Each structure stands twice: as structure tokens, then as C-alpha cells.
Amino acid sequence: MMEIRHFVTFKKVIELGSFTQAAEHLGYTQSTVTSHIQALEEHLGGPLFDRMGRKVRLTDIGKRLLPYTQEILDTYGKIESITSDEEDIRGELKIAAPESLTVYRLEPILREYRRKFPHVSIRLSNASCGDNKRFILNGSADIAFVMLPQLQDSDLVVHSLLEESIVLVGSPDCCSLNMLDKSYDNHKISECLIVNEKECSYRTLFEEYLGERGIVPSHTMELWSIEAMKRCVMSGLGIAYLPLMTVKDEIKAGRLKIIPCIGDFKQIFSQVVYHKNKWISPALSMFIEITLKHAKDWSCAETTC
């Protein structure tokens, strides 16, 4: 017999990528996780995973089972919440967001949500915007924040929150570059370009901008922390293209300066997204409501820094 817990285990193995991690998260032994998966496999008559060392990948049967699993678990969640009211909202909320929005936008949202709904378990993961979008499409996250050009995807419900200003910054004392004007076309600049992960949307846009103008930085330093990037720039180690919200305090304090760039850039928007087929549980519904309320208060005044 297939049981709800078997589908819960199946989904958790997909989310975490291994039987061992799924067992730890669910509080099971690894043999219990294996038995749950075997029960599904025996019922369906084929393997759900290809096991390659510690990594697991979905087979064709597993891929076909995944959307039905989500429907089953969503329906189960609806049944559990039949008698829920706002004061007793429970469950788990899986949120995916990039570092920049987590640090500079989400804190008041999460604080209000935790105060109002203390019985909801929140799992927040940080990854690139491309990964966060994939997490929504494969069901690993319930809702995701991204910073991208305006999303157009028929499988997603998208709420655009705010157009984000992205600026090129350097050290006031050590950066010799004062403006990236036409004189730099088809030239190498002496400054090091300090960047974050390769799938970062604004890194990609800036590298495309430099490529179109034939501008080549002397070298590139890749860091995965915005705070580390800012410290390197403030120390005079290079320049960086970052969301204004992440550097506005340092600009106001005179620790960083904006380097004007000629030409147009694609617009980048903070957006919150979820799958169009996702059941909007009471926990998720209230999170969306609180997010949209806070987004209305996000100020565009920082663009005048």
C-alpha cells in the first residue's frame, strides 16, 4: 500500500538530494527511507531513482510521479487546514531567495511573519536567482524571491515588487576610474572587476555591457558574499556592480562612490514568484500578503544617492 508518508519521503529525497539527508531531516533511519521508496517502487513496478554513489537522480518514472506527489501532498495539506484559523496556522514554508534580498529586504517581512504565525516552520535557502526559479519549477520551494528582468513564464505567478537600481562602485581614495565614458570603448581598464556567482543576473548584465563596448577589466576576482565584495572595493582592490540597496549606506558615509556609466542597462526587478499549480496554503497566503504589504513601503528614494 502507498501511504502519505511514502510520498513525503520521496519528495524530501528529491529536495535534499540524498537518502541520508532525507533521513536526518525527517528523523528516520536510512533503512526507513529506503523502505518507503521501495514500497513506492514495488507498487509502480520500476525504480524511482538512479543511485550513483551518494547522489541520486530521478528516473523517468520518478519524474512522472513528481507532479502527482505534489498534488497529493497539497491535497493532504488542504485537509489538515480545514479547521485552521489565522491564530492557529501551522505547517512548513520553504522560501528561496538570493543573498542580497535576504539581507536587505526580507528581515522585516520574516520578523512580522514569525511574530504573527509562530507555529509555521520556515526554511530559507540562499542561491542564485536562476537556481531559485528552478526550485519553484521543480517543487523544492514554495515561494521564491528573484532579482531579474521582468519574468514572463506561463508556469509561474509573478508579483513584481520594485525596480532595483544597480550601480558601479569603487573606493573614493583608491579608485582612479571616475566615469566609464566613451573614452574607454575597446580598451582595457586597470581596475579589477570584483564579481559574485556566475548566474547572478546583474553580474551577467554588466559583463554583457562591457562586452558590447569592448571594455576589458585588467582581471576579475570572484567572491560569493556581497559583504566581502564591498570590503574589497572599500579597500581599493577593485570595482563592483551591485544593487544600490546593498551599498547605499556606504555611499552616504563616503566609503564608496558611484562610478557613472554611459549607455542603457536592462531593468532589474525584485519579484516574488510561485508555481501556478501550487496550492496556496493558509501559511503561504499570509506570507504573500505580508510581503506585498512591505513591498509597497520600499522606497525608491535610494536612487538619488
Side-chain angles (χ1 to χ4, degrees), residues 275-288:
H275 200 284
K276 68 175 184 179
N277 296 328
K278 174 70 180 173
W279 171 57
I280 308 301
S281 67
L284 179 55
S285 176
M286 295 311 301
F287 184 79
I288 294 169

Side-chain angles (χ1 to χ4, degrees), residues 125-257:
S125 62
N126 289 148
S128 70
C129 292
D131 281 338
N132 292 335
K133 181 182 175 183
R134 284 189 286 272
F135 293 155
I136 292 297
L137 293 173
N138 67 23
S140 298
D142 299 315
I143 192 166
F145 291 85
V146 295
M147 284 181 62
L148 292 167
Q150 198 71 271
L151 272 175
Q152 300 288 336
D153 191 311
S154 59
D155 289 324
L156 299 177
V157 176
V158 181
H159 293 283
S160 185
L161 305 177
L162 181 71
E163 181 182 350
E164 299 284 0
S165 296
I166 318 294
V167 293
L168 182 64
V169 292
S171 163
D173 299 325
C174 303
C175 178
S176 61
L177 183 63
N178 291 309
M179 178 179 290
L180 207 56
D181 59 19
K182 292 183 179 179
S183 66
Y184 287 95
D185 287 357
N186 302 309
H187 283 79
K188 177 182 283 190
I189 55 176
S190 59
E191 284 76 10
C192 170
L193 180 60
I194 301 173
V195 296
N196 43 9
E197 69 270 14
K198 289 185 178 179
E199 282 202 339
C200 173
S201 56
Y202 45 87
R203 170 184 173 173
T204 299
L205 289 179
F206 191 63
E207 288 179 335
E208 289 175 355
Y209 167 82
L210 293 179
E212 290 170 359
R213 293 186 56 189
I215 300 174
V216 180
S218 61
H219 54 285
T220 300
M221 181 190 303
E222 185 172 299
L223 301 171
W224 279 47
S225 162
I226 289 177
E227 290 304 311
M229 292 174 67
K230 291 197 297 185
R231 287 184 177 276
C232 286
V233 175
M234 286 188 287
S235 298
L237 296 179
I239 58 176
Y241 192 62
L242 291 168
L244 181 58
M245 64 177 166
T246 69
V247 294
K248 62 187 180 77
D249 289 342
E250 289 81 6
I251 291 169
K252 289 179 180 177
R255 296 192 295 271
L256 289 173
K257 71 174 181 181

Side-chain angles (χ1 to χ4, degrees), residues 89-93 113 117 120 281-288:
I89 290 178
R90 297 174 182 270
E92 182 183 44
L93 193 58
Y113 189 84
F117 309 108
V120 176
S281 67
L284 179 55
S285 176
M286 295 311 301
F287 184 79
I288 294 169

